[in-house]
Amino acid sequence: MDPNNKMRILTTVLIMLCLVILQAEGQNYIPFPLENASWHIRLATTCDNNAPPDTSHVWYTLHGDTTIHERVYHKLCIETGDSEDPLYEPIGGLREEDRRIYYIGKGFLGSNIESEYLLYDFTKNVGDTIEHDQNGFYRSVILETDSVRVAGQYRKRYKVNNGWMYHYPDYIIEGIGSVRNGLLGHVSDIPTCGSHYWEYLCFSEDRQVLHRNPAFPGCCIGVRSNSMVNRSKSWYTHIHYYMSMSVNTEIIGLGSDTTISDTTYARVLRNETPYGFLREQEGRIFYRLDTDSKERMIYDFSIAEGDTVVVYGLVEWSDNGFIEIEYQCDSIGTKVFNSISRRMFYLSPTLNPGANTESWIEGIGSLSGLLHNYDGRVGGDAFILSCVYHNDSLLYKKYSGDCVRVAVGVGKTSSYPVKLYPNPTEGMIHVSHFQNEHDFELQIYNSQGQLVVDCELGEGDDSVLVPGPPGLYIAVIKDGHGVAIQQMKIIKR
């Protein structure tokens, strides 16, 4: 046989084999998710066809189980509020039986659906019709089927004509649903006026985006609010002292509420010491140093591109000096931090555009630190946000190293000789200090910047247990005035 013919036959066989494999992979049914799944949908609606539609965003999510008409469903909710501490509004339930997905709950206009809708039917073939409701009002005809790769798996995809006024054709993927009209768009009631339609944006499981609509730049459209004043958050800021060439770490947390002049504030804790009050109102963050000082706005997340805003920043560690600065908002973008999309504001001083540019992250604050909002002063100290936590979850980290840094001059370190041993340690360390007329405080931080030991050192030797798993820890020695005078790394084996 001609070698060229052999090559053509071999190539044809390989292609057919690949198609068979892909088809076989595509036939592995992917069930609908049971939990930790969400669908991001955009709704465009108007009753005036001569005006652009108003758009809103809906986050559908599965959150627990519920029983409706003596049947168990996975509870379908609309997720609202702050994206870090969301609120869940139940609207209905989903269940799967024999590759059929059923929904019962509320429609778009808020009306209750008393009987189940057959939301999707993955048993159908080309030419079949899916009757979604008992009245035959909602139906879909299967036009074509193929397989698409989603997160490393092939899933069956249906091209359908839903006979409705939404996107045509619609596409439905196993384990996801409609990727044109969204989870419930093809069975949703709408107003009779104007134009109303749904846009599928993305689908995620376990906070990981598995599939998105390529017609949009990403899943970040319509970013949810991210509040700043949240007691579950903590901010770590490195303060670089110009005169002493030293570094300290400011740790900000929020304590209980307090009322000042009929206004509610959250108490600010700076290195566990009360340090003013913070409140949030409609995207604006206000700070006051004490009950007698005036309130200062330190952020305004309600501004738009091109706007100018006057804010204040704390520019002293010791004497509580503030700087007033007018920024212009050059641009607003979005960026994902810890699977949460946040708006980023890029600003420059109006008196010197392009110099000392500033960046704000919604829900996190300035990259110069929560209270500082300015990258320093001429010949003065500089501030760098190193880490932000929400509970035990790391929202932001500037460096690959530790959140806590203390690096003081050699003269100060040598004037108060303190030794910690053994190092590495199995857990117990001994502390020796030779100038007993001084009071010392020992603080130990884990690799995430969390304080795990805070104790006073008495005369002579002390023994301290380092809690937590093996790893790197940072020990900070402070004098009787709370000034950090020594830092060392501890390795726990």
Side-chain angles (χ1 to χ4, degrees), residues 217-363:
C219 205
C220 304
I221 297 176
V223 180
R224 296 254 303 283
S225 63
N226 294 287
S227 66
M228 187 83 76
V229 182
N230 188 317
R231 291 185 186 84
S232 300
K233 290 183 178 178
S234 54
W235 293 260
Y236 293 70
T237 303
H238 294 168
I239 302 179
H240 297 251
Y241 299 103
Y242 174 75
M243 296 301 295
S244 62
M245 300 299 293
S246 62
V247 182
N248 208 336
T249 299
E250 170 193 72
I251 304 175
I252 297 292
L254 299 178
S256 59
D257 284 347
T258 187
T259 301
I260 305 173
S261 301
D262 298 325
T263 302
T264 301
Y265 293 83
R267 188 179 299 273
V268 177
L269 302 176
R270 191 184 201 189
N271 292 353
E272 303 183 352
T273 300
Y275 199 82
F277 307 92
L278 205 65
R279 73 178 181 93
E280 182 171 2
Q281 180 180 0
E282 297 178 351
R284 298 177 174 90
I285 315 299
F286 300 90
Y287 175 75
R288 60 193 306 164
L289 189 61
D290 52 50
T291 56
D292 296 326
S293 64
K294 73 173 185 178
E295 180 183 79
R296 294 176 170 90
M297 185 172 72
I298 59 176
Y299 296 98
D300 186 353
F301 290 102
S302 68
I303 60 175
E305 291 186 10
D307 288 352
T308 58
V309 60
V310 176
V311 294
Y312 291 82
L314 185 66
V315 295
E316 297 279 0
W317 169 267
S318 56
D319 60 7
N320 307 324
F322 285 88
I323 187 172
E324 176 184 328
I325 186 168
E326 183 180 71
Y327 282 121
Q328 175 176 303
C329 181
D330 298 325
S331 63
I332 301 175
T334 57
K335 190 173 181 179
V336 176
F337 296 87
N338 193 34
S339 302
I340 295 176
S341 177
R342 303 174 187 272
R343 290 187 298 168
M344 287 197 67
F345 293 70
Y346 301 94
L347 313 148
S348 60
T350 57
L351 295 179
N352 190 7
N356 294 321
T357 56
E358 176 65 292
S359 297
W360 296 349
I361 306 173
E362 191 176 41

Side-chain angles (χ1 to χ4, degrees), residues 175-195:
I176 296 177
S178 169
V179 294
R180 295 293 303 279
N181 295 303
L183 180 67
L184 305 177
H186 60 296
V187 295
S188 294
D189 47 359
I190 62 171
T192 56
C193 64
S195 174

Side-chain angles (χ1 to χ4, degrees), residues 2-14:
D2 184 8
N4 291 331
N5 289 335
K6 287 185 178 180
M7 183 60 67
R8 284 194 291 270
I9 293 173
L10 179 59
T11 302
T12 303
V13 171
L14 290 175

Side-chain angles (χ1 to χ4, degrees), residues 112-169:
N112 290 320
I113 300 172
E114 297 298 333
S115 58
E116 284 186 327
Y117 277 14
L118 177 57
L119 192 61
Y120 303 108
D121 188 344
F122 295 107
T123 67
K124 296 295 187 179
N125 298 308
V126 175
D128 291 344
T129 299
I130 302 174
E131 300 288 350
H132 296 290
D133 66 322
Q134 296 178 354
N135 299 321
F137 189 65
Y138 299 110
R139 60 174 52 141
S140 299
V141 178
I142 311 298
L143 303 176
E144 298 176 12
T145 63
D146 60 3
S147 297
V148 294
R149 193 173 180 87
V150 177
Q153 292 179 308
Y154 282 94
R155 304 184 183 215
K156 193 171 183 179
R157 180 175 64 177
Y158 296 77
K159 179 180 178 180
V160 304
N161 176 6
N162 53 32
W164 197 230
M165 60 185 70
Y166 306 135
H167 293 294
Y168 173 82

Side-chain angles (χ1 to χ4, degrees), residues 82-85 207 226-228 230 232-236 335-340 342 361-365 385-398 403 448:
D82 191 285
S83 57
E84 292 164 357
D85 295 300
R207 304 185 71 177
N226 294 287
S227 66
M228 187 83 76
N230 188 317
S232 300
K233 290 183 178 178
S234 54
W235 293 260
Y236 293 70
K335 190 173 181 179
V336 176
F337 296 87
N338 193 34
S339 302
I340 295 176
R342 303 174 187 272
I361 306 173
E362 191 176 41
I364 289 177
L385 183 69
S386 61
C387 297
V388 180
Y389 280 89
H390 179 255
N391 292 321
D392 295 327
S393 179
L394 185 65
L395 300 184
Y396 171 86
K397 192 169 187 180
K398 170 70 173 180
C403 294
Q448 293 182 333

Side-chain angles (χ1 to χ4, degrees), residues 408-418 434-435 440 485-487:
V408 300
V410 176
K412 288 186 177 181
T413 303
S414 60
S415 63
Y416 298 97
V418 178
F434 306 111
Q435 296 188 13
F440 294 104
I485 61 170
Q486 193 170 342
Q487 173 195 348

